[in-house]
Amino acid sequence: MIADTPAAADVMPITRFAASPSMNCLVTMRGCTLDARKAQIQKDRPSAAHPSFGSRSMPQNSARAPRRSLFRLALTGVSFIIAAALAFFAWQDFYPVQAANGWSVEVLHKDVKKAASLVPLPDGGLLVSQELKNDQGNILRIAADGQRKVVIDGLSKPDGMIAAQGGWVFSQESDGRPVQLLKDGKLTDLFMGQSVQGLWDDGDHLYAIEDRGENGRLMRYRWSDGELTVLRDKLQETESVTRCTDGKLLYTEKKKGVVHQFSEDGQDPILLSGLNQPTFLMCDARGLWISEDSTHRARLLLWDGKGEPRTILSFLKAPQSIVPDGKGGYLLAEGGRDRVLQLTPAK
């Protein structure tokens, strides 16, 4: 059998078959399938000239980076603003009180919670009302040697306090609380009020004013028979009443920032305006003293009746009552910092 098959004839077909690309699939279907897959992959593969959706993901990632940077920048800016605001308020809290030329100020008593009204005593001591609410308030006696004793407790925002009738009268800035007189160890109810704050006594009458939003009253109590007269009503946040050496009766409206002069015709002209929450008034030979009940950068003002009031103390925090100290100077309750200051004129 071998001799019958010529060698040359067997070689030629095989040579042509191996050299013919079109016949690859006839040799093996498996190779054809792989070649087809490779061709399809090459066809589907994105070219540089025609980028596919996947190739556009790079610009999107690049776009997110600036957004993140803007967010971080905005967050940093907000944090800076908050820090600056907190630093500003802290600066206002701790910045020392400044006295005008010709005056000096020092701390006389510390740790007097919400110090409000002051009454100097003949023995050199001092009564201070601690204006805490919810029956946590009291009236504190500080002796000349610094010893302290609570005289009356269980009060709710004891605010006004004044010497009268051989004792002293106090009010509570809460609804339904009486104005009371403490004399010879005996406590007497005088009359009922609604958030009574300021008090003034002229010997025959006790004046009281209510600190209410829209319906405060100015009242007059007659010592001889206990008659109570409402002089004014529908007042707005009235906190103080006083009579000056010239006989004028004055009172404040805190929210409006004004000081009124009481008049018999009911007109009550404005003497001063543009004040920052005026609260306590006190008149003496130097003029009219006005404290501003603001928690930041409050002032103690002195007005001689002409022009603008003069700033005697600045950078106070919620100052309240001011009273003569009996030595030519004054005592000032600074409720916002829980202390009593002593103000002294230059010699």
Side-chain angles (χ1 to χ4, degrees):
M1 292 292 293
I2 297 173
D4 293 340
T5 306
D10 290 339
V11 172
M12 291 303 292
I14 293 173
T15 303
R16 287 195 302 270
F17 182 78
S20 176
S22 61
M23 298 300 292
N24 286 339
C25 289
L26 297 175
V27 177
T28 170
M29 292 301 294
R30 189 176 208 179
C32 181
T33 303
L34 290 174
D35 288 345
R37 287 180 180 175
K38 289 178 181 179
Q40 185 64 37
I41 290 172
Q42 290 292 337
K43 182 179 178 181
D44 293 341
R45 182 175 295 165
S47 64
H50 299 86
S52 67
F53 177 80
S55 66
R56 287 197 295 269
S57 63
M58 290 302 293
Q60 282 194 345
N61 290 336
S62 300
R64 290 190 188 119
R67 291 176 187 171
R68 292 194 188 102
S69 298
L70 289 174
F71 177 75
R72 291 193 188 99
L73 183 62
L75 186 61
T76 302
V78 171
S79 301
F80 176 78
I81 292 172
I82 293 174
L86 292 174
F88 176 72
F89 287 118
W91 169 76
Q92 292 190 111
D93 280 344
F94 295 103
Y95 194 82
V97 175
Q98 302 294 300
N101 291 335
W103 295 88
S104 63
V105 62
E106 62 180 343
V107 178
L108 182 62
H109 299 296
K110 298 179 180 179
D111 301 321
V112 183
K113 295 181 180 179
K114 299 290 185 181
S117 288
L118 307 172
V119 175
L121 300 174
D123 62 0
L126 180 69
L127 291 178
V128 187
S129 66
Q130 298 191 107
E131 193 188 352
L132 302 173
K133 57 185 179 181
N134 298 329
D135 299 325
Q136 299 299 309
N138 59 59
I139 295 176
L140 178 70
R141 181 180 183 131
I142 304 177
D145 61 1
Q147 295 294 316
R148 301 185 178 193
K149 179 182 179 181
V150 173
V151 179
I152 301 176
D153 60 6
L155 304 178
S156 186
K157 297 195 71 175
D159 207 341
M161 186 167 57
I162 191 169
Q165 301 295 307
W168 40 277
V169 179
F170 66 92
S171 63
Q172 300 178 67
E173 194 186 340
S174 297
D175 290 347
R177 299 296 179 110
V179 174
Q180 297 173 292
L181 168 68
L182 180 64
K183 182 179 179 180
D184 299 329
K186 181 181 178 182
L187 194 60
T188 304
D189 292 353
L190 300 178
F191 57 90
M192 294 297 295
Q194 303 296 324
S195 296
V196 176
Q197 183 164 339
L199 299 171
W200 173 255
D201 180 66
D202 64 9
D204 296 323
H205 299 93
L206 174 68
Y207 294 85
I209 202 161
E210 294 176 332
D211 181 11
R212 303 180 69 187
E214 300 289 342
N215 197 27
R217 299 178 295 173
L218 173 61
M219 299 173 288
R220 182 177 62 199
Y221 174 83
R222 188 160 60 194
W223 286 109
S224 60
D225 58 7
E227 181 186 64
L228 183 66
T229 304
V230 176
L231 301 175
R232 295 288 183 272
D233 60 6
K234 298 181 180 179
L235 300 176
Q236 191 175 52
E237 291 190 31
T238 42
E239 294 197 348
S240 183
V241 57
T242 192
R243 190 181 293 280
C244 290
T245 53
D246 59 5
K248 294 177 182 177
L249 186 68
L250 309 179
Y251 65 91
T252 61
E253 280 191 289
K254 177 179 175 178
K255 189 173 182 178
K256 294 179 180 179
V258 300
V259 176
H260 288 277
Q261 178 185 333
F262 178 85
S263 61
E264 294 297 337
D265 61 6
Q267 298 301 310
D268 296 2
I270 294 175
L271 292 186
L272 289 171
S273 62
L275 304 174
N276 182 18
Q277 304 183 59
T279 177
F280 193 84
L281 301 176
M282 193 270 291
C283 277
D284 67 0
R286 286 189 171 96
L288 174 64
W289 294 87
I290 308 161
S291 60
E292 295 180 330
D293 189 14
S294 174
T295 55
H296 298 291
R297 303 180 70 179
R299 302 172 297 173
L300 175 66
L301 306 173
L302 177 59
W303 187 51
D304 62 3
K306 302 174 184 178
E308 296 295 321
R310 181 188 177 196
T311 300
I312 302 301
L313 294 178
S314 57
F315 293 97
L316 293 163
K317 186 174 183 180
Q320 301 296 307
S321 66
I322 179 173
V323 295
D325 64 359
K327 305 173 185 178
Y330 302 89
L331 302 180
L332 175 67
E334 191 182 15
R337 292 192 175 104
D338 299 334
R339 61 188 186 179
V340 178
L341 304 178
Q342 186 163 34
L343 179 64
T344 306
K347 296 181 180 179

